Amino acid sequence: MASPLEYVATALFAIAIVHTFSVPVFARLANKGGSHAGLWHMLSEVEAVFGVWACVLVAYMAVFVDLKSAIEYLEGRNFTEPMFVFAIMVVAASRPILELVNNTVSVLARALPMSDKISTYFITISVVPLAGSLITEPAAMTLAALLLHKTYFRHQGHAGFKYLTVGVLFVNVSIGGVLTAYAAPPVLMVASTFGWDTAYMSTHFGWRAVLAVVINASLVTFVCRKALLEMGQGMPESGQVQRAVPITVMVIHVAFLVAIVLGAHHPIVFMALLMLFIGYAHSYKHYQNPLLVREGLMVGFFLAGLVVLGGLQKWWLQDLLGGLSPTVLFWGATALTAVTDNAALTYLGSLVEGTSDIWRYMLVAGAVTGGGLTVIANAPNPAGFSILKGSFPDGAISPLRLLLSAAVPTLIAACMFLI
């Protein structure tokens, strides 16, 4: 039997989901101006949604339970993931890292027997998401979104192309990190409990994910080939010409990125490294673009809100998962991921006792399959959302159109994982 607090938390969680799908409405109100335009603008920021409603929950606990309980609840939550996503976004989005990845993508694109305009796009939404298995999914999402924004999304219009691209990108990043046991949040949450290592992930999940990513990228590239040829290689940058980044600076940035990935489980480690990185970047600011500190903080705020609200959903979610057969569980996990973070979903599933190997496989496979359906489905999604949303009308990505755009690549991923 759930407590009154859990009922309230679930109601606020549902309101936050509805709010997420209502973001375009608030964006239009903000663009109309008026005395409340600032409030509508804040409510139109997807990254603020769950943080705002999490604050409402904490306020409720402080007033109707007691302040001590509210503080103890917050202190009992694990905010490592929001902090890590913030840190990895700031480092991965730095100009030296972005130029290194851009150069690598260009080399791979030239090796393909097609126009550079098309091959660059294909590599960006296939190889970069798969690289998430090494550099973590949040880093892969940040890099892919920045490359897409610079090369394609800066052009006005082409809304259909942009929605299809975001849908495929979110799905490919969600499934592209399963070749290892540490890069995808929903895998990381259960790998130790289930006894899964990188060898297990690559043999049971990895090859299926690679096939799905390549198929998804190939289909969207074929469908959007006309738009890609029209847009070319991006718009010219405004302002003065930037100085070339020395290879030594790139190497140092890569070293920071790798060190933060290796310290992903220890906030005291990767946050200290982030502080050192910011200091280094400031010392050589002539090789930098502005760091994505604000965007990273907003994404961290979003994920922290999801942690606070999601921590009180166990009363209904765990029982629901435990009562499903493996096949039903796969489709149930895929659907549930659209309305709750897939890492939280797999964690709650790992608490169910007496589960079989096939049940565990279906739980994780369904969670990563549905990770591209909404902005809240997978932890890296808010990072891509934050970077790309300004390219859409009213500065907002319609959650419903995103859901529809991700439907086909999600079904393709589902077919691969069910083979």
Side-chain angles (χ1 to χ4, degrees), residues 16-193:
I17 293 172
V18 173
H19 185 170
T20 300
F21 280 84
S22 304
V23 158
V25 176
F26 292 110
R28 286 192 289 271
L29 290 173
N31 291 334
K32 290 180 180 179
S35 57
H36 300 295
L39 174 62
W40 301 134
H41 178 73
M42 183 192 75
L43 294 176
S44 71
E45 297 278 359
V46 167
E47 301 94 319
V49 170
F50 276 82
V52 167
W53 290 106
C55 290
V56 174
L57 174 63
V58 174
Y60 171 87
M61 293 176 67
V63 173
F64 294 98
V65 184
D66 60 74
L67 181 60
K68 181 180 179 181
S69 296
I71 295 175
E72 288 178 347
Y73 175 71
L74 288 176
E75 291 179 338
R77 307 306 303 154
N78 186 351
F79 293 98
T80 299
E81 185 178 61
M83 295 169 67
F84 174 75
V85 172
F86 163 62
I88 206 71
M89 269 193 73
V90 173
V91 178
S94 62
R95 183 183 161 216
I97 294 289
L98 189 60
E99 286 199 6
L100 177 61
V101 174
N102 188 48
N103 292 339
T104 304
V105 168
S106 297
V107 170
L108 294 174
R110 286 195 293 270
L112 296 179
M114 61 185 75
S115 166
D116 285 349
K117 303 171 185 178
I118 295 177
S119 60
T120 298
Y121 175 81
F122 174 79
I123 295 296
T124 302
I125 59 171
S126 59
V127 175
V128 177
L130 288 172
S133 287
L134 297 176
I135 62 175
T136 72
E137 287 185 354
M141 176 68 80
T142 301
L143 290 168
L146 286 169
L147 290 174
L148 288 170
H149 182 268
K150 178 182 178 181
T151 309
Y152 304 102
F153 279 49
R154 289 166 57 86
H155 293 263
Q156 297 298 318
H158 299 284
F161 159 78
K162 292 177 181 178
Y163 274 106
L164 286 176
T165 300
V166 173
V168 171
L169 175 65
F170 282 14
V171 173
N172 280 2
V173 168
S174 180
I175 63 178
V178 300
L179 280 73
T180 60
Y182 69 88
V187 175
L188 181 63
M189 297 299 290
V190 301
S192 177
T193 303

Side-chain angles (χ1 to χ4, degrees), residues 314-333:
K314 178 179 177 180
W315 68 274
W316 64 273
L317 197 52
Q318 186 176 353
D319 290 342
L320 177 62
L321 293 174
L324 300 178
S325 64
T327 302
V328 176
L329 174 66
F330 175 85
W331 294 109

Side-chain angles (χ1 to χ4, degrees), residues 5 10 32 120 127 143 154 194 219 224 232 236 261 287 308 317 322 342 376 392 414:
L5 176 60
T10 300
K32 290 180 180 179
T120 298
V127 175
L143 290 168
R154 289 166 57 86
F194 291 171
L219 285 177
C224 298
V261 170
Y287 299 130
V308 173
L317 197 52
N342 56 9
I376 66 174
F392 290 81

